Amino acid sequence: KKIKGAHGREGDDKGQIIEERRTPAKDGIGLTTFLSLQNYFIECRPSEKLVQLSRIISQEVSNNQSSHFIVYFATCACVDYFYKILPALIKCRATFHSLHGNLSPSARTKTLAAFASAAPSSSSPSILLATDVAARGLDLPTVDVVIQFDPPTDTKTFSHRCGRTARAGKAGRAWVLLAGREVDFVDFLAVRKIPLKKQAYITAESSEDVPAGDIPTEDPYVTLYLEQIRKTIVCDRALHDQSIKAFVSFIRAYSKHEASYIFRVKDLDLIGVARSYGLLRLPKMPELKQVDKESWQDAEISWDSFSYADPGQEAKRLAALDKVRTEKAERDKDAPRSDIVTKKRNTAWSHQAERKADRERRRDKKKLKKKWLASQAASDETPKEQIIGKRHREEPDEMADAGTDIDDWRELAREEKMAKRVRKGLVSQKEFDDEFADLGQ
């Protein structure tokens, strides 16, 4: 006989507590469904997640004749991007559906109806790519497999995701892909009564499973997938834009995970993630500044001729490109100062910091010089006379010709200052010659 304990947990009549499990009973499905649900996780590198996703789908179709899948991603941008990319990577003849919060209510209703009404067929499975908008409140009894490509931001959402399968007395399987330190998430879920069983890394042969830790090098199929994705992206620049948007949105979402001591951006292999997304080049973002990019190589492509498939977008791009070229040509006419400004703009941040430090040191030296001149004001000679005397000692012939009149000294000082500006490129040599032509006569 089972009774409710003091905390609402089930126990026997002797007060002994029976283990509480939250998947998916807390989702209102019941213990019978829980017993028919199998929760797995696979440990792999971030660059291998897309390879494992493809192999999980192939294995489920061939071994269990699964016909309906839900694949969860972290953001709407990720769903939009992989909706365009996955059809070229999945071996079976699958039908893909996209569902996320940025779609209109009518589009969401249409997508759900199409997915739910699809005939069960392992030869032509239906795959729904979704965010957490499809994690709860949806009754889809035909779902055989749930795959969490990106772990959710909290444990409740994890439970709701898994609860989309194994409904109405049917068996179901839920998978989650974890990389590196993310494996600690399994213990985090165990504390919250959500058990996961480790599944071996799925190799290319599918029949042979190998633990991820036993694979010394990256799966060779990662490079093949990267090349295949890039071939798809270069057909339309819009796909490249979507890939960058998806990558950046994933990193932002990852940094806001509830278990921040497990899911930390600084521990994440960002280059591996970029390879999994098939990026043509890395975006400019703060998280990538300190990353070792030795293993990364941009795609060889002419960016000026890389076009959009949509004529309207391509026309806008070409107009913007012409505007940039025109502005550059106008700047080139204003040499040499515009060249210096352009060079400064393109200078690395570290070099700019060094220049700033040099300016501060020169500023400090000027302050010390002013203090020294002030301390010499009480002497027999004025500071200007001391400087003129110093110039007499260093350049007696020149000063003798120029005289020691204070106006002459000022004119020579102005000439020397102007000469420095010429050397720095701030003033042209012609302007200098015109200004001081009389001094050279």
Side-chain angles (χ1 to χ4, degrees):
K1 180 180 179 180
K2 296 181 180 179
I3 60 174
K4 289 288 183 179
H7 299 286
R9 292 181 291 180
E10 291 183 345
D12 58 16
D13 54 1
K14 296 181 181 180
Q16 295 176 340
I17 300 299
I18 298 177
E19 182 183 7
E20 178 190 12
R21 302 194 180 209
R22 299 185 179 181
T23 310
K26 283 288 183 179
D27 196 32
I29 302 172
L31 183 60
T32 303
T33 306
F34 172 77
L35 295 175
S36 62
L37 173 65
Q38 297 175 334
N39 272 325
Y40 299 112
F41 77 93
I42 290 182
E43 181 183 359
C44 62
R45 299 176 179 86
S47 59
E48 298 167 338
K49 290 179 70 174
L50 198 60
V51 176
Q52 285 301 288
L53 171 63
S54 175
R55 291 174 183 171
I56 289 173
I57 294 175
S58 299
Q59 179 175 282
E60 286 286 350
V61 168
S62 59
N63 295 350
N64 301 313
Q65 287 72 49
S66 301
S67 60
H68 283 72
F69 297 79
I70 298 182
V71 183
Y72 286 101
F73 294 92
T75 67
C76 302
C78 292
V79 172
D80 283 336
Y81 174 61
F82 284 104
Y83 177 72
K84 303 285 184 63
I85 296 301
L86 279 178
L89 302 176
I90 302 300
K91 295 180 180 179
C92 58
R93 189 181 59 182
T95 302
F96 288 86
H97 306 270
S98 171
L99 182 65
H100 55 75
N102 287 346
L103 296 175
S104 63
S106 59
R108 279 184 258 176
T109 302
K110 184 178 179 180
T111 298
L112 280 174
F115 176 72
S117 61
S121 173
S122 58
S123 61
S124 180
S126 294
I127 303 176
L128 177 65
L129 310 182
T131 59
D132 289 334
V133 72
R136 64 182 72 187
L138 300 179
D139 187 16
L140 301 170
T142 58
V143 175
D144 301 305
V145 180
V146 167
I147 305 174
Q148 304 191 52
F149 188 84
D150 300 321
T153 56
D154 58 79
T155 55
K156 290 183 179 179
T157 304
F158 185 95
S159 177
H160 285 296
R161 285 180 173 184
C162 297
R164 295 311 97 200
T165 186
R167 301 177 74 89
K170 293 182 59 178
R173 289 159 299 283
W175 301 73
V176 61
L177 301 174
L178 302 174
R181 185 185 177 88
E182 296 174 359
V183 177
D184 294 341
F185 191 53
V186 176
D187 296 332
F188 183 78
L189 292 172
V191 173
R192 286 155 176 77
K193 311 302 180 182
I194 304 176
L196 295 180
K197 181 180 179 181
K198 183 173 183 179
Q199 183 71 17
Y201 185 91
I202 305 176
T203 62
E205 292 76 14
S206 297
S207 60
E208 181 182 357
D209 297 337
V210 181
D214 295 342
I215 301 177
T217 58
E218 185 181 68
D219 194 315
Y221 274 75
V222 171
T223 303
L224 298 178
Y225 274 52
L226 174 63
E227 294 175 354
Q228 181 62 44
I229 295 174
R230 285 181 169 179
K231 287 181 181 178
T232 304
I233 293 178
V234 295
C235 297
D236 186 1
R237 190 170 186 138
L239 287 177
H240 164 69
D241 296 344
Q242 285 186 328
S243 69
I244 297 298
K245 184 178 180 181
F247 177 80
V248 173
S249 67
F250 167 73
I251 301 302
R252 297 286 188 264
Y254 195 91
S255 64
K256 298 176 182 178
H257 200 283
E258 181 186 72
S260 57
Y261 66 95
I262 296 176
F263 296 87
R264 297 190 296 185
V265 174
K266 67 177 183 179
D267 294 331
L268 182 63
D269 180 12
L270 297 180
I271 299 299
V273 176
R275 286 169 60 81
S276 179
Y277 277 60
L279 301 187
L280 298 180
R281 63 181 178 186
L282 296 175
K284 295 180 180 179
M285 55 189 304
E287 291 82 358
L288 289 171
K289 284 185 176 180
Q290 306 299 327
V291 173
D292 183 11
K293 303 179 180 64
E294 183 178 352
S295 60
W296 175 260
Q297 185 175 2
D298 289 344
E300 296 181 1
I301 185 173
S302 175
W303 290 97
D304 288 345
S305 60
F306 186 23
S307 61
Y308 289 97
D310 180 62
Q313 282 184 299
E314 179 60 14
K316 291 181 180 179
R317 185 189 75 86
L318 292 176
L321 184 61
D322 290 339
K323 183 179 179 181
V324 170
R325 288 173 176 172
T326 302
E327 292 177 350
K328 185 178 183 301
E330 291 177 354
R331 287 197 303 268
D332 292 342
K333 294 179 182 179
D334 301 331
R337 188 173 183 83
S338 62
D339 293 343
I340 295 173
V341 174
T342 303
K343 183 178 180 180
K344 181 179 179 181
R345 187 185 299 117
N346 296 333
T347 303
W349 177 87
S350 58
H351 293 171
Q352 293 181 10
E354 293 176 359
R355 290 184 177 181
K356 184 177 180 181
D358 290 340
R359 288 196 298 269
E360 292 177 353
R361 284 194 293 269
R362 290 196 297 270
R363 192 179 298 113
D364 292 340
K365 289 177 68 175
K366 288 181 179 179
K367 289 181 180 179
L368 292 174
K369 184 176 181 180
K370 288 182 179 180
K371 290 182 180 180
W372 179 81
L373 291 174
S375 65
Q376 299 296 320
S379 63
D380 295 335
E381 294 181 330
T382 63
K384 292 181 179 178
E385 291 172 343
Q386 293 176 9
I387 295 174
I388 293 172
K390 181 180 179 182
R391 289 180 62 86
H392 266 299
R393 291 189 293 273
E394 292 177 351
E395 301 172 336
D397 297 334
E398 291 80 359
M399 290 301 296
D401 296 335
T404 57
D405 186 80
I406 193 64
D407 293 333
D408 294 340
W409 177 83
R410 287 175 177 171
E411 188 67 19
L412 288 172
R414 193 168 70 86
E415 179 187 7
E416 183 178 353
K417 185 176 181 180
M418 195 75 164
K420 290 182 179 180
R421 292 172 63 84
V422 172
R423 288 194 294 272
K424 292 182 178 180
L426 302 177
V427 178
S428 66
Q429 183 66 40
K430 185 177 182 303
E431 292 176 339
F432 177 83
D433 294 339
D434 294 343
E435 181 72 19
F436 300 101
D438 57 333
L439 294 181
Q441 295 175 357

